[in-house]
Amino acid sequence: MTLPASVETVVVGAGIAGLTTALHLARAGREVLVIDKSEPWREGSAVNAGTCALQNKAPDLLLAYREGIAAWRELVSELEDDIGFVNKGGLRVAQSTEDVAALRTASAAQVALGAPIEWLEGNALRDRAPWLAPSVIAATFCSEDSFASPLLTGQALIRAIRAAGGAVVVAGLAGQRETGNGFELATSAGAIACRNVVIATGAWTDRAAALFGIRIPVTLNINMLSVTERVAQFMDNLVVTHIAGRFTLKQFPNGSCILGGGFQGRGDKDTGRKEIDLDQLQANFRFQCSVVPQLRASTLLRSWTGFTAIAADGKPTLGPMPGRTGLFFAFSTNAGFTIGPYVGRLISDAVRGKPMPESTHDFTPGRFAA
Ligand SMILES: Cc1cc2nc3c(=O)[nH]c(=O)nc-3n(C[C@H](O)[C@H](O)[C@H](O)COP(=O)(O)OP(=O)(O)OC[C@H]3O[C@@H](n4cnc5c(N)ncnc54)[C@H](O)[C@@H]3O)c2cc1C
């Protein structure tokens, strides 16, 4: 597609943050164009594990992630297409006495913040999840833990944006000039003028911010993920996470188990090269089998890696850039799929002139300026 000469808002990045921002803007009757440097919905949002869990999140960001899960439920009702959203709750497990102590502390902090979390051990735990290994001695159950299908979600969002009058095209942002009345963007598909720019570039947010002379320091993660062959349903659609970290497991409705958690591969986000680390992959699989022994009987069909990034202070970077009219950031932090639809709603509101809620003031993109 040839770029139009101008549009009200350009959203840079066609992942969950950018597409949900664009969807809300288009549905509010605003002119919006999403550009992506490569095929839309190809990076973090497309290759992730689909986990939308609450109870594996740190207390300081728990409320923001809770808004994220609520926004997923809204998204389900707002989209015509199925996005594979399943909300049957999740278990966070503990396998040692140290784990149990850590789980008690973590869950107490979450309950104090209002998270619906229930302690399980002994028969109550075995009855709820007979497929957990005997080494799992306690768990917490959170009714809000959920998952969605990354594959279905991207297609559904792009269709909905187009149906609402927005557009999604391939064009990499390469430079910009402030015009006094907005921006003149230089892209791989030509120039375009706009009043607002939303930077929703995920792991590349440091690079995109630098084009505007702004520093957003990030740490890159190269997460690995694996999928098993389809097996008969046995996990009751629960999401399993682990208090010791680096663990997410769920069984999709088609029977495939998705083994994630953030074991690291290798790669380079500038060239796009990504590689599996076989030692890490084995460690990941062993860890998962120690919790759910039935996995030992299933074959791993495919493993892959993807880029995701966390801002230097671990917080999302959201909202208008102070002192730069028309420039907005929609950069989630860790687990950006979970929080993504909430980010989209917040940023589309901000573009339409609504103030950011007080609970998000710590996330201002201006905080790195000094
Ligand atoms: C393997 C893996 C598993 C994960 N599992 C989970 C999970 O289970 N649950 C969870 O909550 N999170 C998970 N995450 C993290 C999550 O995927 C990301 O945090 C989230 O998808 C980020 O969404 P985003 O829209 O900000 O970025 P992305 O989805 O990465 O989208 C950013 C887009 O910006 C584009 N872009 C970048 N620079 C430019 C430019 N200059 N011009 C134009 N376009 C540009 C990119 O091409 C990309 O399409 C996982 C990540 C990985 C890699």
Side-chain angles (χ1 to χ4, degrees), residues 12-19 35-53 57 65 171-174 200-205 207-208 211 221-225 248 250 260-262 304-309 330-340:
V12 188
I16 187 75
L19 292 186
I35 63 170
D36 201 291
K37 63 182 173 48
S38 54
E39 206 177 308
W41 198 267
R42 217 185 106 154
E43 299 290 351
S45 300
V47 302
N48 76 85
T51 308
C52 300
K57 305 301 185 297
Y65 283 106
L173 179 68
T201 45
W204 293 266
T205 297
R207 306 282 198 272
L211 297 175
N221 281 343
I222 305 165
N223 289 1
M224 294 194 302
L225 203 58
T248 66
K250 72 196 72 72
W304 63 94
T305 55
F307 297 125
T308 182
F331 174 42
S332 311
T333 190
N334 208 12
F337 194 67
T338 308
I339 203 176

Side-chain angles (χ1 to χ4, degrees), residues 17-40:
L19 292 186
T20 52
T21 302
L23 177 64
H24 290 299
L25 286 173
R27 287 204 168 157
R30 296 304 185 97
E31 228 187 5
V32 60
L33 171 76
V34 184
I35 63 170
D36 201 291
K37 63 182 173 48
S38 54
E39 206 177 308

Side-chain angles (χ1 to χ4, degrees), residues 225-229 256-259 299-304:
L225 203 58
S226 299
V227 60
T228 68
E229 62 187 333
S256 302
C257 295
I258 307 288
L259 283 57
T299 305
L300 279 193
L301 278 190
R302 203 158 63 87
S303 300
W304 63 94

Side-chain angles (χ1 to χ4, degrees), residues 1-7 33-35 167-171 187-192:
M1 177 186 159
T2 324
L3 293 187
S6 69
V7 67
L33 171 76
V34 184
I35 63 170
V168 184
V169 301
V170 176
T187 82
S188 56
I192 182 165

